[in-house]
Amino acid sequence: MPDDPAANRRPLTTRDKAWAKSLAVAVAKTGISPNAISVLSIFVAAGSLVCFLIVPEMNTRMSGTLCWFGAALGIQLRLLCNMIDGMVAVECGKRSPVGGLYNEVPDRIADTLIFVGAGYATSVEPGVIKLFDMLPLGWSCAVVALICAYIRSLGAELTGRQFFLGPQAKQHRMFVLTLGCLTCIVALFVKGGGTHQIMLGVLSVIFFGTIITCGRRLVAISAALRG
């Protein structure tokens, strides 16, 4: 981890909320380590994966709603883990020598589980969008998310700065996907279906938006190195 981890963390307004600080203090008092919280994010992401995988088999509005809501909940709990682990480590003084590894590796696994699951939730083997023949969107989103994170880490290594530029940084990707899950619930009750088209649209936004994000980060890193 860098000598000043607080200076290199993703800027989050939620981190300054009273409830977030209180939760971090409460978790720290339990003795749970930041690294354990980071690993926990993999399990809640796996919960989203399961919900995404089984939602195409659901035949009722209620069962479909439970799956879409479960997927959205898993995504948000994953983000909560990602925030709280850092707060327990930094604000509560429980940093670990290997904290940098736990801060990054579980994130990449969680991203992959969530996006791959979302691809299969489209029921189009596995998330194929007809407009771009044979493009597996779920897997494609997972790949570009990994590349995006790699570029950020590379930028930090080369310049000593973190580049959290969007438009599809991690929190933006997770927001769009969560919104997509909730929109699918609305579609079930308003239209009685059409959720696969919604998820195809959501994954398309994430895929192309993340590609743009990768480009913006590369340009910013290049400018910093030249400067």
Side-chain angles (χ1 to χ4, degrees):
M1 297 180 88
D3 292 335
D4 184 9
N8 287 284
R9 286 196 294 173
R10 188 183 304 275
L12 294 174
T13 56
T14 310
R15 194 183 289 125
D16 296 323
K17 302 293 184 182
W19 68 264
K21 294 180 179 179
S22 298
L23 179 59
V25 170
V27 171
K29 287 180 178 178
T30 67
I32 299 175
S33 71
N35 297 343
I37 301 170
S38 298
V39 173
L40 179 61
S41 70
I42 297 176
F43 289 93
V44 293
S48 283
L49 169 67
V50 171
C51 290
F52 280 132
L53 289 177
I54 65 176
V55 72
E57 307 302 321
M58 298 298 103
N59 298 317
T60 67
R61 288 178 178 176
M62 184 55 65
S63 59
T65 295
L66 289 175
C67 286
W68 288 116
F69 181 77
L73 181 62
I75 292 169
Q76 290 304 304
L77 288 176
R78 173 266 174 106
L79 290 179
L80 182 62
C81 289
N82 292 161
M83 180 182 70
I84 294 299
D85 63 357
M87 294 182 70
V88 172
V90 178
E91 279 87 342
C92 299
K94 295 201 171 188
R95 292 177 61 195
S96 161
V98 293
L101 287 174
Y102 281 90
N103 190 53
E104 292 292 335
V105 176
D107 245 12
R108 308 291 75 82
I109 297 173
D111 264 347
T112 302
L113 293 175
I114 288 171
F115 287 127
V116 168
Y120 283 103
T122 60
S123 305
V124 195
E125 285 301 317
V128 175
I129 183 169
K130 300 297 179 65
L131 183 61
F132 301 95
D133 189 29
M134 294 186 66
L135 175 65
L137 271 178
W139 286 99
S140 298
C141 286
V143 170
V144 294
L146 286 169
I147 294 172
C148 193
Y150 171 74
I151 291 171
R152 173 183 55 76
S153 297
L154 182 62
E157 178 68 24
L158 294 175
T159 68
R161 293 167 48 196
Q162 292 279 4
F163 293 83
F164 295 112
L165 297 172
Q168 285 293 298
K170 177 177 70 177
Q171 72 273 28
H172 305 138
R173 295 192 295 267
M174 294 298 105
F175 171 78
V176 172
L177 191 53
T178 300
L179 185 62
C181 291
L182 298 179
T183 303
C184 285
I185 294 175
V186 174
L188 285 177
F189 286 90
V190 174
K191 299 170 57 179
T195 57
H196 64 286
Q197 289 100 336
I198 292 172
M199 289 309 295
L200 285 174
V202 166
L203 290 172
S204 297
V205 169
I206 293 172
F207 177 69
F208 292 109
T210 305
I211 289 176
I212 293 171
T213 300
C214 290
R216 291 193 67 209
R217 290 183 180 184
L218 285 172
V219 170
I221 293 168
S222 178
L225 290 171
R226 294 176 185 278

